[in-house]
Amino acid sequence: GVLIDGMLETDSGFGAPSIEFLANGQFVGSLGCNTATGSYAQSGNMLNFGTVAVTARQCFVPAPFEGPILMHLSNITTIQAIGGGISLRDAGGVELIRLTR
């Protein structure tokens, strides 16, 4: 699941939103209906996302977390391991996205 702005999303009708970090510095994210891909750079607990490309599917079932996930990616600067997942935070330490298993 994904926790965004205090709300947990586990299934939007298309499956649970997710982000997969690949070893080559690329990521793939399922946003509920559309898919995001792009680059990321990690050094220790520092994390930055590069340019993000998003598919443009016409979604008949609302995917309420697509916009918030995309909006927050550019503000993420740190990654922190938490019980059952990871927390993506801004420069002030505010959790923007929590990814759980």
Side-chain angles (χ1 to χ4, degrees):
V2 176
L3 183 74
I4 302 283
D5 299 329
M7 295 177 58
L8 180 65
E9 173 65 31
T10 57
D11 190 341
S12 64
F14 293 92
S18 64
I19 299 175
E20 180 179 0
F21 295 94
L22 306 174
N24 64 356
Q26 298 292 306
F27 76 92
V28 177
S30 171
L31 303 174
C33 175
N34 287 291
T35 301
T37 60
S39 62
Y40 74 93
Q42 182 182 0
S43 176
N45 70 335
M46 303 302 291
L47 177 69
N48 292 297
F49 288 91
T51 303
V52 178
V54 181
T55 59
R57 293 185 186 121
Q58 184 175 6
C59 306
F60 296 104
V61 175
F65 287 94
E66 287 190 6
I69 290 171
L70 292 172
M71 179 183 72
H72 287 317
L73 288 181
S74 64
N75 297 320
I76 292 169
T77 60
T78 59
I79 185 170
Q80 178 181 0
I82 56 170
I86 60 173
S87 176
L88 306 178
R89 298 173 180 265
D90 69 11
V94 174
E95 181 177 67
L96 301 177
I97 301 173
R98 180 183 296 182
L99 302 169
T100 60
R101 293 181 188 199

